[in-house]
Amino acid sequence: MHSSSSHSDLIRNHFRGVAALLLRRRRPVASARDEAVRSVGRVRTPKSVRYGKQLCSHATWRAARAEWTEPEGLIVFPGGAGTCRITAEPECLVLTVEAADPAALAEIQRVLGGNVERFAARDGLTVDWTAD
């Protein structure tokens, strides 16, 4: 079992890699729309609403914006690194990520995938990513 401070450190580190990428960003995703890269992650689960809400709730402390209105959510990563649109389908959680560049996309996928795996450890869930 983690102590409160080590748990806080663990959570803090999840977005640290994204923050490092953001410091190097010169353009937000909105102004580089043609250069943005995309991917879709799918998590097969009948608990998609639960995990979608949990992802958004977890992101609120560090993301530029995070909101959940069932069955959809949105996470906007700071500094224009990217966004994640979350859709809770009956048997699948769908994560649609758009990022400023391939490095930001990879980091966002790593962070989101790690969160899903940690939140759903009892269910043994993982994210299946495909390029869009």
Side-chain angles (χ1 to χ4, degrees):
M1 178 170 242
H2 294 288
S3 71
S4 181
S5 65
S6 66
H7 180 69
S8 295
D9 291 340
L10 180 67
I11 292 171
R12 198 173 297 115
N13 287 332
H14 279 293
F15 285 99
R16 193 166 280 167
V18 172
L21 286 171
L22 298 177
L23 294 174
R24 297 187 302 239
R25 296 289 337 130
R26 293 191 176 134
R27 296 178 304 218
V29 170
S31 68
R33 202 101 176 131
D34 294 337
E35 299 173 29
V37 291
R38 297 170 189 85
S39 68
V40 176
R42 297 187 186 284
V43 182
R44 299 281 172 210
T45 178
K47 300 176 186 176
S48 60
V49 170
R50 173 185 171 188
Y51 292 125
K53 181 178 179 181
Q54 191 172 9
L55 276 172
C56 287
S57 176
H58 178 71
T60 58
W61 70 275
R62 188 70 181 224
R65 189 169 117 212
E67 57 191 51
W68 176 257
T69 305
E70 190 176 326
E72 297 177 341
L74 174 69
I75 299 172
V76 178
F77 291 87
T83 61
C84 177
R85 296 198 179 277
I86 300 168
T87 305
E89 296 178 351
E91 295 295 320
C92 186
L93 180 66
V94 180
L95 309 172
T96 305
V97 176
E98 182 174 296
D101 56 53
L105 179 69
E107 185 61 18
I108 291 170
Q109 288 175 322
R110 184 191 68 77
V111 168
L112 293 173
N115 286 337
V116 167
E117 289 175 14
R118 195 173 73 256
F119 298 157
R122 290 183 183 168
D123 295 331
L125 301 180
T126 59
V127 181
D128 179 27
W129 294 103
T130 56
D132 185 32

